[in-house]
Amino acid sequence: MIFRRLLVGLLMLLLAPLAYAQLALPKQFSTTPKATLPGESASAAALADPRAQAEALLAEARRVQEAERLKDAQTSGEERPTTARQRLLDRLVLLYGERLKLLDELEAMKKSSLETASQKALLVELAGPPPYSAVRTDALRDEYDALREQLKSLASAARALEAQQASLIDARQRAAEAVRLAEDRLARADGRNQVDKDRNNRELAALRRQQAEAELSTIALGLDLVHLKQQKLQPISQEMQRLLAQALPKQRLAKEDFERQQAQLREMLAKVSTEIDRMVAENGKRAAEHTRLAALPQASDPRGATARRLQLIDKQMETDRLSLMTLTWLQGMIQLASDAWGQRYVAFSSDDAATRQAVIVALSQASRDLASREDLFRELQESARIEVRQQEQRLDGAVLDAASAAQESAILDTLKKRVQAYQRVEVAGARLDRQLKRWLDDFGFRAESGGLDNWKLGALQVVQVLKGVWDFEMFAVEDSTHVDGRTVTVAYGVTVGKSIGALALFVVGYWLFSLLSARLQGLMVSRFRVDEQVASVIRRWAMIVLAVVLIIFILNLARIPLTVFAFMGGALAIGVGFGTQTIIKNVISGIIVLFERKIRVGDIIALDGVTGYVTQVDLRASTVRGFDGVEALVPNSSFLENQVVNWTYSNARIRREIRIGVAYGSPVHDAADIVRGCADDHGQVLKDPKPEVFFEDFGDNALLLVLVYWVELGPSLMGRRVDSDLRYAMEKRLGSAGIRIPFPQRDLHVDVSQPLPVRVTQEPDGKPTPADPRAR
């Protein structure tokens, strides 16, 4: 039984192609042309005429379409909805017709040239010897830009068609699978109704496969047409590019061409002026009508016709106002274009690099002005388009009577006029901006039109950039003055150049003042016998005063008002109050010390354990060099807050004392004379007041004498050195005189008038305590 079923199924599969051949579809219509595969002979494909084949397929599709319509009309006299079979047949007729058109267009494209008459004329004209007309070069540029845009569009179309072709290949495969499945079901159908149903499904699947193949063939023809256009336009684009590279460096603007361009621009200005006058007149009529309608009583308008008319007039008057504004902008652009053409003519007429640099500056400014308005044009145009879309939605979504529909349609037309006005300005601005950028490119670094003067042009451009940086205004400050009882406010701009110039002047002035102050310090020391340290302090303070005066003078000279620094007042006050209070205190203390002259350079002082010479008095601190050579920086406030011992305040004389002891029994008067003689013989001991010797006290080991003498301190004289010299002399002379200087002595006295007592005691454990060895 199983073997029998398998045999029946195999026979049905073998008989399926024969059953398919007996279907109702015509053979030439249901069978698609077979494509020539790689490796096969191309003779069969060459013998077939694609156009004749397309015509045959179109005719057969129309015949089947008409037969299907007659069949439906005979079946039922009533109009029935379009079936899937009818829709597929209609689509096939459309695809075969499109295929026939593409074949005709492709054949015509192969025989024709895409080069226009204007392009041919420009290519022939610019292929000759130089110089080349700048106007004709501009025309070739326009043609080249349009051609490049066309090539970009063709490339985008080719990518879209290739993507669609890939999706259609998948759709054709799915349609072929659906046909095979339908044939399989038809072969296994049992019963009249099931066979009819499966046959209908098989025919629909075959029509879908045929539609997919027709669409794929149409897409392939469209892709061939796009590629053919690209192949024909590429050589033209390359030739234009070559000629532009040749003509741009050698283009010239003749006076006749310049005057012709100016005449065209004047004509455009006249047309715009006429349009403005006409629009002003129409707006005046609408205003008069609006006034008349607004004066009518509301009772005379029960249906609201007057109100709708007033609304429409308001919209039209607003559109007129915006159109007048755009026309005014258009006038400005035309005038800007005229000025730009004038600058271009000047640049071509002159070989001076400075002149061409001025032209570049003017054209750059014009380009910046257009760029600044570009966003405004775009925003206005987008808002106008939004209003148009909203009005279209209102007109499509609402159910209106004839009068209201006409009203809304008129408003829609009015809003569209606004979009057109903005587009007109945007197109004109884009064209002018493109021209300006071209001309700047011609006169800039990348073009060679400058010839040997190109390096001069580059240098001038660099200078221009530096000048722009030099004149850059960082901020502006207002300065108020009183004139005749009125307050006059003047604004001053602080630029980079002013700041750098003021800084340079300050550096140069400070350097000159440093040289002069150094010379003045030398004169004070050499001619006026001023101490060198004092002269240094005077020089420092003079430099501070001169620096402040110099700053004020330079700010006034550079016209930078002092109010520039007013905004820093709060921050400086906080800094002075918290961060710099110690510094300011020391500075003020230094000023007081310098004016009071209680502490001067060269004085010997003692402060907080530091004793030495004052070598320098500065703004914040003073320098004290100790007797050991170590220098200490003492804040100036310490001189006012602490007790300071100044050994040389009024004079440099100080009293010194030396104590010496002689043995008991020595001749005290002789010893005193010897000590006094040592002081008298020393050259640095002052004679007035005279040295004196005092018998101070009876000591434990010696008789104490005190030598009191005076010396005058100085950089080369220290009191300790004089003390040492005197002690050497006293030791020598007292020894020669036999007077001994004793050292400390102790006498031990023992009382032996009675015997020492000896006792024996016991410890707690009963053992006798040994006798004290001292008792023995």
Side-chain angles (χ1 to χ4, degrees), residues 689-721:
K690 294 180 178 181
E692 292 181 307
V693 178
F694 298 96
F695 190 168
E696 187 176 38
D697 199 0
F698 295 96
D700 295 336
N701 306 304
L703 302 173
L704 299 179
L705 302 177
V706 177
L707 172 62
V708 178
Y709 64 95
W710 292 77
V711 294
E712 186 170 358
L713 297 178
S716 60
L717 177 61
M718 300 293 293
R720 184 177 294 181
R721 185 179 298 111

Side-chain angles (χ1 to χ4, degrees), residues 460-474 495-497:
L460 288 172
Q461 288 181 336
V462 172
V463 170
Q464 191 67 28
V465 172
L466 294 178
K467 184 179 179 182
V469 175
W470 182 268
D471 295 334
F472 177 74
E473 185 178 51
M474 297 184 292
T495 62
V496 175

Side-chain angles (χ1 to χ4, degrees), residues 64-300:
V64 176
Q65 180 188 34
E66 188 64 26
E68 186 69 20
R69 289 177 180 174
L70 291 175
K71 179 181 178 181
D72 292 341
Q74 292 174 0
T75 303
S76 175
E78 299 178 357
E79 184 178 355
R80 297 190 304 173
T82 304
T83 62
R85 182 183 176 88
Q86 289 176 346
R87 286 195 297 269
L88 290 172
L89 290 172
D90 294 340
R91 179 63 178 166
L92 277 174
V93 171
L94 180 64
L95 288 173
Y96 287 140
E98 184 67 22
R99 180 179 179 181
L100 190 60
K101 292 179 182 179
L102 288 174
L103 285 171
D104 293 339
E105 188 175 352
L106 190 62
E107 188 66 24
M109 182 72 64
K110 291 178 181 179
K111 298 178 180 179
S112 64
S113 174
L114 298 182
E115 190 176 15
T116 63
S118 61
Q119 291 175 353
K120 290 181 181 179
L122 288 171
L123 292 177
V124 171
E125 182 178 352
L126 295 178
Y132 305 103
S133 171
V135 176
R136 302 299 289 169
T137 305
D138 291 343
L140 183 60
R141 280 175 167 176
D142 293 336
E143 293 287 347
Y144 179 66
D145 291 342
L147 189 57
R148 283 197 306 174
E149 293 297 328
Q150 188 176 359
L151 286 172
K152 289 180 182 179
S153 300
L154 290 174
S156 301
R159 288 192 297 268
L161 290 174
E162 289 171 355
Q164 190 175 0
Q165 188 180 37
S167 64
L168 285 175
I169 290 174
D170 295 337
R172 183 182 64 176
Q173 293 177 354
R174 291 192 298 269
E177 293 174 359
V179 169
R180 289 193 295 271
L181 291 175
E183 291 174 350
D184 185 50
R185 285 192 296 268
L186 179 60
R188 295 195 304 268
D190 188 11
R192 179 71 178 176
N193 294 332
Q194 187 64 32
V195 170
D196 292 340
K197 181 179 179 181
D198 290 341
R199 181 181 292 111
N200 185 45
N201 291 335
R202 196 281 314 274
E203 291 176 359
L204 290 177
L207 285 174
R208 290 190 182 96
R209 181 183 65 179
Q210 206 167 3
Q211 177 185 344
E213 291 177 348
E215 289 180 348
L216 188 59
S217 177
T218 304
I219 293 297
L221 287 174
L223 195 58
D224 292 341
L225 184 62
V226 169
H227 289 162
L228 183 59
K229 286 184 179 180
Q230 288 178 328
Q231 292 175 3
K232 286 182 171 291
L233 292 178
Q234 282 290 350
I236 303 175
S237 175
Q238 294 173 0
E239 181 65 16
M240 287 184 179
Q241 186 177 7
R242 185 187 67 80
L243 288 179
L244 283 176
Q246 173 184 337
L248 285 178
K250 301 175 182 178
Q251 60 178 331
R252 292 293 181 267
L253 182 59
K255 185 176 181 180
E256 296 78 9
D257 293 337
F258 169 68
E259 291 177 350
R260 191 180 301 111
Q261 290 294 327
Q262 293 292 79
Q264 292 178 0
L265 291 173
R266 286 193 297 269
E267 185 178 355
M268 292 173 62
L269 275 176
K271 290 181 179 179
V272 172
S273 299
T274 303
E275 191 173 354
I276 289 175
D277 296 338
R278 179 180 55 80
M279 190 166 292
V280 168
E282 292 179 357
N283 189 264
K285 294 179 181 179
R286 290 193 179 97
E289 185 179 1
H290 186 278
T291 304
R292 182 181 61 80
L293 293 176
L296 294 177
Q298 296 182 356
S300 61

